[in-house]
Amino acid sequence: FQAPTVGGGLNMAREIVIAPSILSADFAKLGAEVEAIDRDGCDWVHLDVMDGHFVPNITFGPDVVAALRPHSDKVFDTHLMIAPCDLYLEAFAKAGSDIITVHAEAGPHLDRSLQYIRSLGKKAGVSLTPSTPESAIEYVLDKLDLVLVMTVNPGFGGQTFIPAQLEKIRAIRKMIGERPIHLEVDGGVNVDTAGLVAEAGADALVAGSAVFKNGDYAKNIAAIREAAMAGVAA
Ligand code: DX5
Ligand code: ZN
């Protein structure tokens, strides 16, 4: 787990983490796809878990995460779009997740879920859907390693970035202050939006379709990273 470079101001030099989402990979050869993004320069591997209940789509569970684990040593960034989540946290920890992120909207006891994730020895994240305000994390900041701002409504890859979320990203960057908490953004991140989210304060960018399109993952990852770094410097 790479500790975030924090240092106060919005525009301080920050390392940018690129986390391709395998939601846009070829599900018939997931192991090879994870190896490919690893080789092609990703920092983390983003794993989108959907239950057909919290979100209107179904992907994969802990057994698939465990099967992928031997294919890369990079950080496994597991984004749980499931409700309830507590029942499954141990399974995702045992499967080899490094970060486990739950949705603030997925249940009434976010604080408990976060404590549970840390008690399993994993980094704890909270994700906010576009309609959830940043105040949802105000009283759990000391139990957080990552905040994930959704810039689309969770459930599908390839959706259009929601610009109103930039204000939320800025507000959360301020709330984080000097704390060693990553600020990740997920949904519609591509070369056109990466700079905007980085400028607003994001230090970890998830990208699905923008990485897996047209087969040249190395080029796609590098282009997103370059666009993000231009935003940091802006
Ligand atoms: C959406 C997922 C995202 C998704 C992003 O619910 O959480 O991680 O894969 O896909 P793109 O980058 O195509 O918007
Ligand atoms: Zn995701």
Side-chain angles (χ1 to χ4, degrees), residues 21 23-24 46 48 50 79 81 150 152-159 186-189 206-210:
S21 164
L23 183 61
S24 296
H46 186 81
D48 284 309
M50 305 187 187
H79 177 192
M81 288 162 273
M150 292 301 305
V152 298
N153 286 289
F156 305 94
Q159 302 181 80
D186 184 2
V189 173
V206 177
S209 44

Side-chain angles (χ1 to χ4, degrees), residues 152-174:
V152 298
N153 286 289
F156 305 94
Q159 302 181 80
T160 305
F161 182 83
I162 301 172
Q165 300 305 309
L166 289 169
E167 201 179 313
K168 193 194 290 181
I169 297 166
R170 277 196 191 91
I172 293 174
R173 172 51 67 191
K174 243 184 230 152

